[in-house]
Amino acid sequence: YKACRIIMEGFAAWLNKYADACEELSKTAEGEWAGQLLEIAANCRRVSWHAPTNLREAGQLMWGFALWDCVDCVGRFDQYMYPFWTGSDEDRQMIADLIMKVWEHGSHNVVLGGVKPCDGSDASNDITYLVIQIIRANHDVHPRVAVRIHENTPEDLLGLIVETWSEGMSDPTVASDKQIISGLMGYGVTLEDARNYS
């Protein structure tokens, strides 16, 4: 626990240094960019020690962690971002920007869909569909996107996956919740934790 606390204190200090750098850059920036730098700084300071309260803060926390730890997989992206989702055009652009940053900086996997850890019901949401549409429009093999499927995956989500493949894309990869969850439980992982695999 002490080691984890030291790591988190280091992460918080790093985010605050990032905020300092953004504030310094804003002094010579022009127009809208100056305001954006100040917003990034405020978001970094907020999430260095506190939970995010909106999608921009959540995105800053996710992206900060991805940069700081050179994360290969950003995990269940649609699940941890969705509580902050309002469905606005600004939110849609924010998700697109984050996915493009993942692509640009070489994180290797974004996980979507699957089941909810608490009850095993379908976990797909608006962000699940949006990310698939983004990679479809970008038509590139990076970032890798994996969609977890199960017996109750919506037909329209399966259709979107197949449609994306039919246009020459090798992604999204699909992973079987039925096989992986039971396999993890065979190794002694609890049901709730197994349902939350990435």
Side-chain angles (χ1 to χ4, degrees):
Y1 287 124
K2 286 181 181 177
C4 287
R5 183 166 184 85
I6 290 167
I7 290 169
M8 293 315 298
E9 287 171 349
F11 180 54
W14 181 84
L15 280 174
N16 280 301
K17 284 184 178 183
Y18 202 88
D20 292 342
C22 288
E23 287 170 353
E24 192 60 34
L25 283 171
S26 74
K27 294 175 183 176
T28 56
E30 295 180 7
E32 194 176 318
W33 179 230
Q36 290 172 342
L37 286 165
L38 290 173
E39 182 181 7
I40 292 167
N43 290 342
C44 285
R45 292 202 195 287
R46 164 78 192 169
V47 299
S48 67
W49 283 112
H50 302 284
T53 59
N54 59 51
L55 191 69
R56 285 204 172 272
E57 290 175 359
Q60 192 67 63
L61 180 60
M62 170 265 173
W63 186 240
F65 183 68
L67 289 178
W68 185 72
D69 198 36
C70 298
V71 175
D72 280 346
C73 177
V74 297
R76 298 188 74 188
F77 180 79
D78 58 347
Q79 301 307 297
Y80 59 76
M81 295 301 281
Y82 193 68
F84 306 100
W85 174 258
T86 67
S88 68
D89 288 343
E90 183 180 350
D91 281 5
R92 296 174 69 79
Q93 186 62 54
M94 176 77 183
I95 295 298
D97 291 346
L98 279 171
I99 293 300
M100 294 310 291
K101 294 304 282 183
V102 168
W103 171 75
E104 183 180 273
H105 285 273
S107 292
H108 298 300
N109 202 18
V110 176
V111 179
L112 306 171
V115 297
K116 295 178 181 175
C118 57
D119 60 9
S121 63
D122 178 59
S124 60
N125 58 48
D126 292 345
I127 297 175
T128 313
Y129 290 83
L130 178 59
V131 171
I132 296 170
Q133 291 288 14
I134 292 165
I135 66 161
R136 181 180 175 202
N138 194 43
H139 204 80
D140 202 340
V141 296
H142 211 88
R144 301 308 309 264
V145 172
V147 180
R148 293 175 40 180
I149 62 170
H150 52 90
E151 293 87 345
N152 296 313
T153 297
E155 287 292 325
D156 59 343
L157 179 56
L158 293 172
L160 180 58
I161 292 166
V162 172
E163 190 173 346
T164 304
W165 290 340
S166 75
E167 295 167 352
M169 291 283 291
S170 58
D171 270 357
T173 300
V174 294
S176 168
D177 276 5
K178 181 177 181 180
Q179 296 300 317
I180 294 173
I181 291 169
S182 65
L184 288 169
M185 290 175 64
Y187 283 105
V189 177
T190 65
L191 176 59
E192 190 170 343
D193 283 347
R195 284 174 173 163
N196 203 27
Y197 77 89
S198 179

